[in-house]
Amino acid sequence: MRILFLNGPNLNLLGQREPEVYGSTTLEDIESRVRSRAQAKGAEVDFRQSNSEAELVGWIQQAKGNCDVIVLNAAAYTHTSIALRDAISGIGVPTIEIHLSNIHAREEFRRHSMIAPVCCGIIVGFGADSYTLAVDAAINVKASISAKTGAFSPATKGSILK
């Protein structure tokens, strides 16, 4: 089981940027927690961050055949990126959208996700724990897909665990 964690713009500033919203935990701290959780569950993790939309799209495209599930905190690109949405939709790898803060309790412009309709689930508002919850969710998604069909298809998104 291989999980690709992708982190979007400004997440490299965690621990410094708006600690009242995002907390004082750094992305490196989160990565360490994710790796520990994944190792305990027998999963491998590839953990990356980029401020570039093009680089994130490239990593998503490369995930096909190289990972079982993508966990994506697209950060600000969540609300604007048709390119990320199309990349997720185009590769057939189940993707979980995550956010540290509850985007639905924040500014109006943050409440709409361009990528949610092509993701199999969303985890929001649990701070750094959103990431460790995503490890468990990714493992469950993979197990559920394997038990049902052996493959993920856009028709199963949103209903994988039913």
Side-chain angles (χ1 to χ4, degrees):
M1 165 82 204
R2 186 156 189 218
I3 309 167
L4 175 60
F5 276 80
L6 297 179
N7 296 280
N10 300 312
L11 291 171
N12 57 308
L13 299 177
L14 285 177
Q16 308 167 45
R17 177 180 171 243
E18 299 180 77
E20 67 283 357
V21 174
Y22 301 109
S24 59
T25 305
T26 66
L27 191 60
E28 292 78 19
D29 295 335
I30 291 171
E31 179 179 359
S32 178
R33 290 184 196 177
V34 164
R35 288 190 183 284
S36 293
R37 181 68 172 190
Q39 183 177 17
K41 298 282 189 170
E44 293 179 45
V45 167
D46 186 353
F47 199 95
R48 304 176 187 185
Q49 187 277 329
S50 179
N51 292 320
S52 166
E53 182 180 33
E55 190 164 36
L56 291 166
V57 167
W59 289 339
I60 291 167
Q61 291 175 354
Q62 292 167 9
K64 186 172 186 164
N66 293 310
C67 75
D68 297 297
V69 178
I70 298 170
V71 175
L72 174 61
N73 184 343
Y77 292 139
T78 300
H79 320 291
T80 62
S81 183
I82 296 168
L84 288 176
R85 176 192 175 110
D86 288 351
I88 294 164
S89 182
I91 63 164
V93 175
T95 301
I96 299 168
E97 177 183 345
I98 66 168
H99 298 282
L100 295 161
S101 65
N102 181 352
I103 62 172
H104 304 289
R106 297 192 57 203
E107 303 93 339
E108 185 65 35
F109 70 90
R110 294 187 195 274
R111 295 179 189 166
H112 178 73
S113 169
M114 295 295 289
I115 64 173
V118 295
C119 290
C120 60
I122 305 169
I123 300 169
V124 300
F126 294 98
D129 289 340
S130 292
Y131 283 79
T132 51
L133 289 167
V135 171
D136 294 339
I139 291 167
N140 290 340
V141 164
K142 171 63 174 163
S144 181
I145 290 169
S146 295
K148 285 185 177 185
T149 65
F152 176 77
S153 72
T156 61
K157 73 180 182 301
S159 62
I160 288 175
L161 299 177
K162 290 182 183 170

